[in-house]
Amino acid sequence: MAAVGAARALRAGGCRYSRFSSSFSSGGGERAGPRFRPPAGSRRDWIGPPDKRSNLRPVIFHVPPHESPLERRLRELREETQAWNQSFWARQNTAFQREKEEFIYSRLKARGLEARDETGQKVTLSAEEMADFYKDFLRKNFRKHMHYNRDWYKRNFTITFLMGQVALVRALRWLRWRSTNAGNQ
């Protein structure tokens, strides 16, 4: 029985999926935040649909009524990391789409072709030609991705460390509560 209680004390809690429209894709990659707010009595994180520019699902993190300073620090770091991640991928995906369209247009123009054929269908390039674009795009953005990955690992290590601290504090709090209540019986 005590193991079940300890497991509950250590459990981070679940999350709920939500149908809300996100405005993470506001101009400049800045996070405006989701327009939806979970119900007041909700005790879970809420996950929205993928953002149109970043392709990431925004999360609204639950704020417990008696949030400790450590729990608040963890939640704020998770929110900040999510906003940073949304911003990076919105900028990256926008640049990718723009450069891809420019590449296709320049290749078609070099051949004397239009973007659409006589039937109105969009003209495409071969997989080999597109592979040249993908290779070049990755080469040009190598340093940016390397810095992103380094920062991503740093942030996730810090979040994981804070989650461990929060879990330990909760487990110790539960054990103290358990020992004081055992004496009352």
Side-chain angles (χ1 to χ4, degrees), residues 71-132:
E71 291 170 324
R72 182 178 343 104
R73 184 172 158 213
L74 170 61
R75 178 181 50 81
E76 288 172 351
L77 179 60
R78 290 176 71 200
E79 289 171 341
E80 177 189 322
T81 299
Q82 175 185 288
W84 168 80
N85 204 20
Q86 288 277 355
S87 177
F88 174 84
W89 284 109
R91 285 190 319 270
Q92 188 66 15
N93 291 344
T94 301
F96 176 82
Q97 288 301 326
R98 184 185 65 250
E99 291 181 33
K100 180 177 158 187
E101 288 171 14
E102 290 169 358
F103 176 82
I104 292 170
Y105 178 77
S106 68
R107 288 286 173 107
L108 292 176
K109 187 176 179 181
R111 291 185 192 163
L113 298 173
E114 295 293 322
R116 298 199 179 269
D117 63 13
E118 57 278 346
T119 63
Q121 295 292 319
K122 198 171 185 180
V123 178
T124 60
L125 299 177
S126 70
E128 291 81 22
E129 289 174 301
M130 290 308 297
D132 291 338

Side-chain angles (χ1 to χ4, degrees), residues 11 13 35 47-48 58 68 83 101 122 139 144 151 169 175:
R11 187 177 57 210
R35 288 182 224 146
I47 302 173
S68 72
E101 288 171 14
K122 198 171 185 180
R139 183 189 51 76
K144 188 188 298 185
D151 292 345
V169 167
L175 288 172

Side-chain angles (χ1 to χ4, degrees), residues 14-180:
C15 58
R16 303 269 175 170
Y17 289 96
S18 171
R19 298 179 66 197
F20 64 86
S21 83
S22 161
S23 57
F24 279 102
S25 55
S26 63
E30 293 299 318
R31 180 182 183 262
R35 288 182 224 146
F36 176 86
R37 291 287 171 220
S42 174
R43 298 184 322 158
R44 305 267 190 231
D45 295 341
W46 285 68
I47 302 173
D51 179 71
K52 288 181 177 126
R53 285 181 35 204
S54 71
N55 293 323
L56 299 176
R57 292 179 171 271
V59 179
I60 298 175
F61 295 98
H62 169 66
V63 181
H66 303 292
E67 185 177 50
S68 72
L70 183 61
E71 291 170 324
R72 182 178 343 104
R73 184 172 158 213
L74 170 61
R75 178 181 50 81
E76 288 172 351
L77 179 60
R78 290 176 71 200
E79 289 171 341
E80 177 189 322
T81 299
Q82 175 185 288
W84 168 80
N85 204 20
Q86 288 277 355
S87 177
F88 174 84
W89 284 109
R91 285 190 319 270
Q92 188 66 15
N93 291 344
T94 301
F96 176 82
Q97 288 301 326
R98 184 185 65 250
E99 291 181 33
K100 180 177 158 187
E101 288 171 14
E102 290 169 358
F103 176 82
I104 292 170
Y105 178 77
S106 68
R107 288 286 173 107
L108 292 176
K109 187 176 179 181
R111 291 185 192 163
L113 298 173
E114 295 293 322
R116 298 199 179 269
D117 63 13
E118 57 278 346
T119 63
Q121 295 292 319
K122 198 171 185 180
V123 178
T124 60
L125 299 177
S126 70
E128 291 81 22
E129 289 174 301
M130 290 308 297
D132 291 338
F133 164 73
Y134 298 134
K135 180 180 176 184
D136 188 51
F137 184 83
L138 289 173
R139 183 189 51 76
K140 286 191 309 189
N141 290 283
F142 175 78
R143 288 186 92 54
K144 188 188 298 185
H145 287 139
M146 186 177 65
H147 291 293
Y148 167 81
N149 283 333
R150 181 197 62 208
D151 292 345
W152 178 248
Y153 280 107
K154 282 181 183 178
R155 287 171 179 268
N156 276 313
F157 178 77
T158 304
I159 287 170
T160 303
F161 182 73
L162 287 174
M163 288 178 109
Q165 286 182 317
V166 166
L168 180 63
V169 167
R170 286 178 182 171
L172 292 173
R173 186 183 315 137
W174 180 84
L175 288 172
R176 275 194 302 271
W177 174 84
R178 181 82 172 150
S179 65
T180 60

